[in-house]
C-alpha cells in the first residue's frame, strides 16, 4: 500500500529563485536542517546522498537515485529500503504568477511495510517538512 505525507506553502518568489535555492545542494543547511550533507548529480539516474535527521528519529544516511527533474518545476529521488519498501522524495514548484509560487514537498512510501513506517513516524516527518517549508519560505522571501 502507498502512503504519502506532503506539505505545501505559498512563497513570494519566482520559480527561478526557488529552483536556484533547491539545487544548491552544498547550502541546503541554510533552510533544511532535516536533510543535510547533500551530495548528488542533477541528472536522470544520478546518484544522490544525504543524511536524514527527522525529529525524534536517529540520523540515517540515504543513498538514492534522481528519477525525475525538471528545471524550475520538480526534483524527485527514490530510495530503496531493502525489499520492504521504497521512499519517493519530492519537491515541486508551481509558479502561479511571476513572483508567486506554491512549493510542495513530501514523501511517498510504497511497499509491504510502508503503512507501518508512516503510522509510526508521520508526526515527526510532518513536523520536519513544515519546518523545512517555513525556513525555505523565509530564505526565498528575504
Amino acid at each position: 500500500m502507498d502512503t504519502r505525507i506532503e506539505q505545501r506553502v505559498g512563497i513570494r518568489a519566482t520559480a527561478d529563485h526557488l529552483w536556484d535555492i533547491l539545487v544548491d545542494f552544498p547550502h541546503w543547511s541554510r533552510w533544511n536542517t532535516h536533510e543535510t550533507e547533500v551530495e548528488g548529480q542533477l541528472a536522470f539516474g544520478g546518484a544522490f546522498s544525504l543524511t536524514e535527521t527527522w525529529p525524534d528519529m536517529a540520523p540515517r544516511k540515504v543513498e538514492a537515485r534522481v528519477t525525475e527533474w525538471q528545471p524550475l518545476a520538480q526534483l524527485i529521488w527514490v530510495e530503496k529500503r531493502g525489499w520492504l519498501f521504497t521512499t519517493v522524495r519530492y519537491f515541486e514548484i508551481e509558479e502561479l504568477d511571476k513572483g508567486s509560487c506554491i512549493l510542495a514537498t513530501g514523501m511517498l512510501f510504497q511497499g509491504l511495510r510502508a503503512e507501518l513506517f508512516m503510522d509510526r513516524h508521520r508526526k515527526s516527518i510532518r513536523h520536519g517538512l513544515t519546518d523545512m517549508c517555513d525556513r525555505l519560505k523565509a530564505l526565498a522571501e528575504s
Side-chain angles (χ1 to χ4, degrees), residues 103-131:
L103 174 79
T105 186
M107 302 172 95
L108 175 64
F109 295 92
Q110 303 169 318
L112 184 63
R113 306 267 310 207
E115 189 172 349
L116 179 62
F117 181 84
M118 279 304 292
D119 286 346
R120 185 172 181 199
H121 300 294
R122 181 179 308 274
K123 184 177 179 181
S124 293
I125 293 171
R126 181 169 302 285
H127 175 76
L129 292 177
T130 299
D131 179 59

Side-chain angles (χ1 to χ4, degrees), residues 1-18:
M1 179 176 192
D2 295 354
T3 58
R4 175 189 307 257
I5 185 164
E6 180 177 272
Q7 185 66 36
R8 297 171 63 86
V9 64
I11 300 176
R12 288 183 305 271
T14 64
D16 292 5
H17 185 54
L18 285 177

Side-chain angles (χ1 to χ4, degrees), residues 1-47:
M1 179 176 192
D2 295 354
T3 58
R4 175 189 307 257
I5 185 164
E6 180 177 272
Q7 185 66 36
R8 297 171 63 86
V9 64
I11 300 176
R12 288 183 305 271
T14 64
D16 292 5
H17 185 54
L18 285 177
W19 184 253
D20 288 346
I21 292 170
L22 188 61
V23 298
D24 185 10
F25 301 145
H27 295 105
W28 268 28
S29 62
R30 294 182 302 165
W31 59 273
N32 187 344
T33 61
H34 307 288
E35 294 166 317
T36 58
E37 301 170 21
V38 180
E39 296 178 355
Q41 183 180 20
L42 192 57
F44 294 107

Side-chain angles (χ1 to χ4, degrees), residues 7-14 18 92-96 99-105 133-141:
Q7 185 66 36
R8 297 171 63 86
V9 64
I11 300 176
R12 288 183 305 271
T14 64
L18 285 177
E92 295 176 335
I93 300 168
E94 179 183 355
E95 190 165 50
L96 304 173
S100 179
C101 295
I102 298 288
L103 174 79
T105 186
C133 284
D134 291 346
R135 289 172 178 265
L136 182 54
K137 176 182 174 81
L139 177 63
E141 292 181 350

